[in-house]
Amino acid sequence: MPLIAPSLLAANFLNLQQDCDLLNISVADWFHIDIMDGVFVPNISFGSMITKFITSTTQKFCDVHLMIENPDRYAQAFKDAGANSLTVHYEACPHLHRNIQQIKNLGMQAGVAINPHTPVHLLQDILADIDLVCVMSVNPGFGGQAFIPNTITKIKELRSIIDKQNLHTKIEVDGGITLSNAKSIIDAGAHVLVAGNTVFKAADPLAMIASLKNL
Ligand code: DX5
Ligand code: ZN
């Protein structure tokens, strides 16, 4: 059974409490919290202050996806804001190993996200040090985009590397996940499905989360 991580980016920000409550009573496993700086990605979302309001509503695991440059400057702030895991982008981190150590030293799980053009084999020398790989299935920056089909090949390749090395690194897939493509993503080897629009724009978000979970 996959872990389901609804992305709050698609929530109603005029009534965040209501959407957090909805996730809390749902079978969702994680809260996925998208941070965009307008530099690494062409959009700005929100920062550690809003993150703290979100994490304060829940006992569930809060998975923070940093689509920002210089994530080392903000790791402590997101720890203080209640993040359980912090995921940084491979493409934004020339000193990735140092970034990962910092996150772990702060007591959080550490993840690395890769853009659609970044091959999975580039993670070879960091894989054993991290808890999560976030395979981007859209170009980061916006919700509601279409799933890039080549992601399936990347997930299979990554899963085979992880299994061969007997690692416990989880594969999270992020962007454009729907009820129609989720099964193929799980079958390819994903452990965690992020879904924004598919959950929050559904007529019945609770039922949608349950359907994704039970695929
Ligand atoms: C995209 C974000 C995603 C996004 C997913 O840059 O990282 O987490 O919220 O949204 P959907 O599921 O609508 O594609
Ligand atoms: Zn995300």
Side-chain angles (χ1 to χ4, degrees), residues 63-78:
D63 161 40
V64 174
H65 178 192
L66 295 182
M67 287 163 273
I68 67 173
E69 292 193 352
N70 302 310
D72 53 302
R73 292 188 191 164
Y74 304 96
Q76 179 73 58
F78 282 100

Side-chain angles (χ1 to χ4, degrees), residues 7 9 32 34 36 65 67 136 140-144 174-176 194-197:
S7 164
L9 191 65
H32 183 83
D34 286 306
M36 305 176 181
H65 178 192
M67 287 163 273
M136 292 305 301
F142 304 92
D174 185 6
V194 174
N197 280 265

